[in-house]
Amino acid sequence: MVDRFESDDAADYEAARERMVKAVSRHVDSERVLEALEAVPRHEFVPEIRRDGAYADRPLPIGDGQTISAPHMVAIMADELALEPGENVLEIGTGCGYHAAVTAELVGADHVYSVEYSEELAERARETLAELGYGDVSIRVGDGREGWVDHAPYDAVYVTCAATGFPEPVVDQTRPGGRLLAPIGTAFQTLVKATKCEDGSLERSEHGGVQFVRMRG
């Protein structure tokens, strides 16, 4: 995909994006993930007042008390899920739509389904994604704990806000052998990956301490 506007800043943003990807490469070595990050213009997803820092490797406020995750965390989550083209992916917490765009680069926009609690953020994300060529990403407004049963089963699910555990409906909507990834905890959070077994149980592994905004609702 390409930036939606031609401007004198385009070359500066592209150079900044390349520097960001180089920094992120210290955390992941998947060429597919790094190429996805390089393809998505992160500055288009942040408020204009924040665009000078759009390619710094840190979270940024996006309004409504929410943030866009640091690029290295988006990359780590994509890498842990080992997303493949054509896999159906459920995202809990659309936010500004940046993470969904990166996921779309990996699996195809028409395979990304995202649930956002805030109607304002969901509408803004839809507009930005459409303008950047990711209009086939599906977004609904609702409680992420309920998942999105209409498009289940999912090959992979990830949560972009801290939860106390994997919501049962979301686990139910994941196919056997599917992967789930979420920051689990309240004051202290751990990035937890789980694989759904044939009997419906989850095989879990922990991947370090993280800090996300809490799930709303």
Side-chain angles (χ1 to χ4, degrees):
M1 303 298 176
V2 296
D3 293 17
R4 53 178 163 168
F5 298 127
E6 293 291 340
S7 74
D8 294 338
D9 294 330
D12 291 339
Y13 283 133
E14 185 174 350
R17 191 153 66 246
E18 290 174 0
R19 290 193 297 272
M20 179 195 79
V21 172
K22 186 174 181 180
V24 170
S25 69
R26 296 196 295 266
H27 301 273
V28 300
D29 57 10
S30 167
E31 287 299 324
R32 289 188 66 241
V33 171
L34 295 175
E35 287 170 2
L37 256 66
E38 190 161 1
V40 179
R42 189 173 188 253
H43 64 279
E44 299 283 15
F45 290 90
V46 302
E48 285 194 33
I49 196 171
R50 304 281 181 184
R51 287 188 176 177
D52 286 349
Y55 292 104
D57 192 14
R58 64 172 185 268
L60 293 171
I62 56 171
D64 204 13
Q66 304 301 300
T67 61
I68 181 174
S69 294
H72 79 271
M73 183 54 59
V74 174
I76 286 170
M77 293 179 75
D79 190 39
E80 288 293 344
L81 286 172
L83 300 171
E84 295 292 338
E87 289 192 309
N88 288 330
V89 180
L90 175 64
E91 174 186 66
I92 305 301
T94 316
C96 62
Y98 173 71
H99 201 147
V102 173
T103 301
E105 288 285 341
L106 294 166
V107 303
D110 56 339
H111 293 280
V112 181
Y113 304 91
S114 188
V115 183
E116 172 53 49
Y117 187 80
S118 165
E119 187 169 352
E120 176 187 346
L121 287 179
E123 185 55 37
R124 198 185 312 159
R126 282 194 196 99
E127 291 175 1
T128 304
L129 287 164
E131 288 168 353
L132 294 172
Y134 303 102
D136 286 338
V137 170
S138 298
I139 299 173
R140 83 169 183 88
V141 177
D143 186 346
R145 296 174 183 84
E146 298 172 1
W148 195 347
V149 70
D150 295 359
H151 304 287
Y154 298 100
D155 299 293
V157 178
Y158 64 90
V159 183
T160 67
C161 42
T164 55
F166 292 108
E168 189 173 334
V170 172
V171 174
D172 291 343
Q173 293 165 28
T174 306
R175 69 165 176 81
R179 299 91 66 202
L180 302 100
L181 189 67
I184 302 297
T186 51
F188 178 80
Q189 303 163 15
T190 303
L191 187 64
V192 178
K193 180 181 177 181
T195 301
K196 184 175 178 179
C197 302
E198 290 291 339
D199 64 3
S201 64
L202 296 178
E203 202 171 88
R204 304 167 189 253
S205 57
E206 296 186 354
H207 298 271
V210 291
Q211 188 171 7
F212 284 73
V213 296
R214 294 187 185 183
M215 185 178 288
R216 297 165 66 177

